[in-house]
Amino acid sequence: MEKQKTDTRRPAYGMASNCAFMIRRAWQGSKGVLSVAAGIVLCGVTASLLELFVVPAILTALENGAGPWELVSMIACFTLGMVAVRALWGYLDTNALFGRVLVRSRLCLDLHMTFCRTSFPHIEDPDYIKWMGKASKCLDSNSDAGEAIWNTMVELLTNVISFVIYLLLLSQVGPWVALLCAALSTASYFAGEPIRAWRYRRRDEEAALLHKADYAVFRSRDMKLAKDIRIFGIGPWLTELYGKYVRLMQDFFAKAFRHDMWADLLDTALALLRNGAAYGLLIAMALRGELNAAQFVLYFTAVSGFSQWVTGIFKQLAQLHRQSMELSTLREFQEIPEMFRFSDGEPLPVKEDHLYELELRDVSFRYPGAQNDTLSHVDLIIHPGEKLAVVGKNGAGKTTLIKLLCGLYDPTQGQVLLDGKDIRQYDRRDYYEHFSAVFQQFSVLAGTIAENVAQVPAEKVDLPRMWDCLERAGVADKIRRLPQKEATHLGRNVYLDGVELSGGQMQRLMLARALYKDAPVVVLDEPTAALDPIAESDLYQKYSDLTGDRTSVYISHRLASTRFCDRVLLIEDGGIAEEGTHEELLKAGGRYAYLFDIQSKYYSQSADDLLPRPQDAGAGKEGVEDE
Ligand code: ADP
């Protein structure tokens, strides 16, 4: 098994800072968490004091010749007090959960927003993703640092207050008892802690094992894999993988259990030594007549309690240290400097006609860690309203080029300009507002069709505009036939009544979404990849209507699909190899003409499969994939 590296990074925020951070977060949104925590501390200290004083108080009353009625009322008072404190404690403990979950949920939300809004190159950076994984780890469940830290802080405070009270009490017997207990409890803690910390030091190894086992389980439930699992018989392979990681996890937990057991044994041995010595001292004092019965019982109980507080303080501090490190990871993740300017950037100039000129000036781009530039010294001006096609073989750099245009990457060298100004100076989110796109991967959420097209909650959707876009994208008929029309949920991951659309229908829906946004620049990256030939040719014919007077960039590896564009760029060897209209490029007889020739031969050979047969005549524009 691969060896996991131990995290040796020094956290940027210490324990005090992280506790203050959590308190601030609670103060901002869920003040109840703080008052409930204070209440729990008060209950904890009161309960321990009541337990400590109950027997000595009764003994003192007995020694002072108290009557039965006085004794009964005293015991009743203690019992009632104890019941009331315990009941309040339990009530507060249960209620503490709601506020704490709320604080953790808000932290989760912040983390997701950070991820959704960060500069795009971050999300392709493996270090950033790894950091994100570690940061979110502290918010995964009730027992992770982002919530469990409240328990630690409450217990630490309870231990510290009780420690001070017991210290004052025991110092009345003499400094030796308190000193002995404190010294041996400290020794016990420091002897056991390195053994107990074994599992914590290997938390990355544990997380990796869990992740791998989970991976096998989740993949077996993945709907996208369901067909392949059956056809290729992947099931036993996944089961074997799961079994392998479960066995490794069992070994890991057995080792962790052995370490905990040794630590507990050491703890018990030192506790015996500590309590034995302290009790011996108290017995000697009692025998010498220096303590009466009530005092003996009081100090006897206080000795074990005192050791418990000392050990508790160390344990909680160690726990707080670990939780604080995790919270520091979370806070540091959220403070990773952005590559792009956002709210500190300039707003984009607003133009009534929405016509902007885009330019790549001497642009080179190399992916992080790559040996060569994907694009090298590219110069390109896209005129306002121009319909540009970008063609080239797979891997030529077409998608990279549009990602640079859309501002998802910054060039490694050179500039991307909007109306002559470097886009780096603008608020990048403002810049994105000017783009509408259909990318190759479909990005639908488990919401209604209307919400997915408009990207706003259902009640805010402009329905006439949405239907117009569905119509133009050629998917309106299909949506109208659904039982709940535009209110139908997409996907069955969340909604049982959700529908699964075909690849082609989904691609049209993505087109409708791009149209709904009505941005000045439309980018279409292989928008016909999932369409059948009839639907594809339908889209080419309607392309001008679809994009209107907007600037558009159309990417395709199908050269024939560029005829309807004003200009075609052929991308090869990291640059623009040829450019012109489709006819000009054919006439020039260069690479474009050569590639077009090869493609048209291939398509004409398979034309029988591609062209509509007589019985298909009149088939709807949804074509084959709809039926
Ligand atoms: P095209 O759209 O023309 O098929 P791309 O722009 O997607 O080509 O890719 C161009 C080259 O860049 C390919 O060699 C591809 O492997 C590489 N590439 C694309 N995306 C990444 C990435 N995120 N990280 C590293 N290399 C990438």
Side-chain angles (χ1 to χ4, degrees):
M1 204 187 69
E2 78 230 63
K3 191 119 181 82
Q4 293 291 323
K5 276 191 257 166
T6 312
D7 193 356
T8 50
R9 193 179 46 85
R10 275 184 72 81
Y13 295 102
M15 281 197 284
S17 163
N18 287 321
C19 291
F21 168 76
M22 288 303 286
I23 292 170
R24 262 198 318 275
R25 293 307 305 244
W27 185 259
Q28 283 158 5
S30 193
K31 291 192 180 65
V33 171
L34 302 176
S35 41
V36 168
I40 296 174
V41 172
L42 207 65
C43 288
V45 174
T46 315
S48 78
L49 289 181
L50 282 174
E51 274 166 13
L52 178 68
F53 281 105
V54 60
V55 180
I58 293 167
L59 278 178
T60 310
L62 271 175
E63 273 177 357
N64 293 341
W69 177 240
E70 202 179 332
L71 282 174
V72 168
S73 27
M74 207 172 156
I75 292 169
C77 277
F78 266 115
T79 314
L80 274 177
M82 193 56 108
V83 168
V85 170
R86 293 249 167 225
L88 182 63
W89 194 354
Y91 173 80
L92 290 175
D93 224 17
T94 313
N95 279 281
L97 193 69
F98 302 114
R100 291 175 189 181
V101 168
L102 208 66
V103 176
R104 180 164 64 89
S105 309
R106 293 219 171 90
L107 289 173
C108 280
L109 204 68
D110 285 354
L111 184 69
H112 290 305
M113 286 315 287
T114 305
F115 192 67
C116 286
R117 297 165 73 89
T118 192
S119 314
F120 184 78
H122 272 156
I123 60 163
E124 292 186 339
D125 174 358
D127 285 339
Y128 187 88
I129 298 299
K130 204 167 149 199
W131 201 337
M132 163 82 183
K134 281 193 170 193
S136 64
K137 172 75 195 70
C138 80
L139 302 173
D140 276 355
S141 71
N142 308 95
S143 54
D144 288 309
E147 193 176 322
I149 196 167
W150 290 112
N151 265 342
T152 314
M153 287 197 283
V154 161
E155 281 180 29
L156 182 63
L157 203 57
T158 311
N159 283 322
V160 168
I161 297 175
S162 307
F163 168 81
V164 172
I165 296 172
Y166 277 52
L167 183 69
L168 293 175
L169 191 73
L170 281 181
S171 51
Q172 286 175 7
V173 193
W176 292 112
V177 182
L179 266 178
L180 185 79
C181 289
L184 282 171
S185 306
T186 311
S188 157
Y189 172 77
F190 282 106
E193 180 54 18
I195 312 177
R196 268 199 198 88
W198 182 90
R199 184 168 175 181
Y200 180 73
R201 283 199 304 273
R202 279 158 190 79
R203 62 194 185 284
D204 285 352
E205 189 181 326
E206 183 180 349
L209 281 173
L210 284 170
H211 176 72
K212 283 173 182 163
D214 280 354
Y215 174 81
V217 173
F218 287 130
R219 293 306 275 169
S220 65
R221 291 185 205 152
D222 190 340
M223 275 173 71
K224 285 191 202 125
L225 270 193
K227 292 194 288 299
D228 299 47
I229 286 177
R230 280 149 189 82
I231 300 291
F232 291 101
I234 301 175
W237 180 23
L238 286 173
T239 314
E240 197 188 315
L241 261 185
Y242 181 65
K244 177 178 147 193
Y245 289 116
V246 166
R247 280 193 297 282
L248 286 171
M249 265 162 38
Q250 276 170 341
D251 289 349
F252 180 89
F253 289 134
K255 274 189 208 154
F257 172 74
R258 279 199 292 280
H259 278 85
D260 282 350
M261 197 185 68
W262 281 114
D264 286 348
L265 269 176
L266 189 71
D267 216 21
T268 313
L270 284 167
L272 265 177
L273 189 71
R274 177 187 64 215
N275 291 352
Y279 294 156
L281 206 73
L282 289 178
I283 291 168
M285 287 172 81
L287 287 177
R288 286 202 299 272
E290 291 167 23
L291 298 176
N292 63 27
Q295 283 172 321
F296 179 77
V297 172
L298 178 68
Y299 296 134
F300 198 88
T301 319
V303 162
S304 62
F306 184 73
S307 311
Q308 186 191 315
W309 303 133
V310 175
T311 320
I313 289 173
F314 284 120
K315 266 193 186 160
Q316 301 311 328
L317 278 176
Q319 180 82 335
L320 196 64
H321 174 65
R322 288 168 198 161
Q323 290 169 339
S324 159
M325 271 174 38
E326 292 185 17
L327 275 174
S328 184
T329 307
L330 173 74
R331 293 174 68 190
E332 288 167 53
F333 174 77
Q334 287 180 308
E335 287 160 11
I336 293 177
E338 289 298 344
M339 298 169 163
F340 303 157
R341 292 177 76 179
F342 291 111
S343 46
D344 59 334
E346 289 173 30
L348 244 70
V350 180
K351 281 172 118 179
E352 286 296 310
D353 59 4
H354 280 201
L355 292 174
Y356 297 87
E357 182 186 84
L358 287 161
E359 181 180 353
L360 299 189
R361 190 178 291 169
D362 191 27
V363 163
S364 297
F365 183 78
R366 181 177 299 196
Y367 282 100
Q371 298 291 322
N372 300 306
D373 287 348
T374 295
L375 294 173
S376 175
H377 302 289
V378 173
D379 283 304
L380 168 68
I381 295 178
I382 306 175
H383 306 290
E386 188 178 15
K387 313 257 172 275
L388 186 77
V390 181
V391 297
K393 289 190 287 190
N394 283 339
K398 306 182 292 293
T399 304
T400 309
L401 183 107
I402 58 154
K403 280 184 177 163
L404 282 160
L405 264 182
C406 291
L408 293 171
Y409 299 138
D410 272 344
T412 323
Q413 188 200 311
Q415 292 171 296
V416 178
L417 306 146
L418 181 105
D419 281 345
K421 278 195 170 176
D422 194 323
I423 65 163
R424 274 179 272 225
Q425 71 195 61
Y426 293 123
D427 174 345
R428 197 59 65 99
R429 282 183 202 113
D430 209 10
Y431 184 74
Y432 294 149
E433 282 301 307
H434 289 65
F435 287 83
S436 203
V438 178
F439 291 114
Q440 290 183 33
Q441 284 116 353
F442 310 136
S443 54
V444 289
L445 293 180
T448 64
I449 287 173
E451 285 167 331
N452 270 286
V453 171
Q455 302 284 296
V456 288
E459 62 279 6
K460 291 194 179 149
V461 179
D462 177 345
L463 286 176
R465 180 165 146 201
M466 182 210 66
W467 278 111
D468 178 50
C469 296
L470 290 173
E471 203 77 60
R472 283 156 65 204
V475 71
D477 285 348
K478 170 72 196 172
I479 307 296
R480 260 189 222 106
R481 288 203 298 271
L482 294 172
Q484 289 172 278
K485 301 190 172 60
E486 82 284 356
T488 308
H489 288 116
L490 277 180
R492 297 213 176 98
N493 287 347
V494 176
Y495 299 101
L496 291 178
D497 64 346
V499 295
E500 298 290 346
L501 295 182
S502 74
Q505 289 158 352
M506 200 65 100
Q507 199 145 37
R508 287 166 179 276
L509 201 70
M510 295 292 95
L511 186 60
R513 179 175 76 174
L515 296 174
Y516 188 96
K517 187 173 173 191
D518 196 21
V521 185
V522 187
V523 174
L524 303 165
D525 189 358
E526 303 273 6
T528 60
L531 297 187
D532 62 73
I534 301 164
E536 190 178 353
S537 107
D538 177 55
L539 187 113
Y540 297 158
Q541 279 159 26
K542 291 202 309 197
Y543 188 74
S544 283
D545 289 345
L546 284 175
T547 50
D549 55 2
R550 290 171 202 84
T551 309
S552 73
V553 184
Y554 185 96
I555 294 193
S556 179
H557 65 278
R558 287 275 312 272
L559 307 188
S561 66
T562 60
R563 282 183 239 222
F564 52 85
C565 291
D566 301 329
R567 186 162 48 131
V568 182
L569 304 183
L570 173 70
I571 305 283
E572 262 187 354
D573 301 326
I576 301 172
E578 291 175 18
E579 66 179 297
T581 62
H582 173 70
E583 280 71 26
E584 283 166 1
L585 291 175
L586 283 188
K587 216 189 246 171
R591 283 288 294 162
Y592 182 88
Y594 170 73
L595 292 171
F596 181 77
D597 192 38
I598 295 179
Q599 279 194 356
S600 33
K601 272 189 193 136
Y602 167 75
Y603 283 110
S604 61
Q605 269 166 20
S606 49
D608 282 351
D609 303 331
L610 301 176
L611 291 172
R613 289 159 294 159
Q615 63 266 37
D616 291 332
K621 52 195 156 204
E622 287 161 42
V624 184
E625 24 88 29
D626 283 316
E627 303 311 324

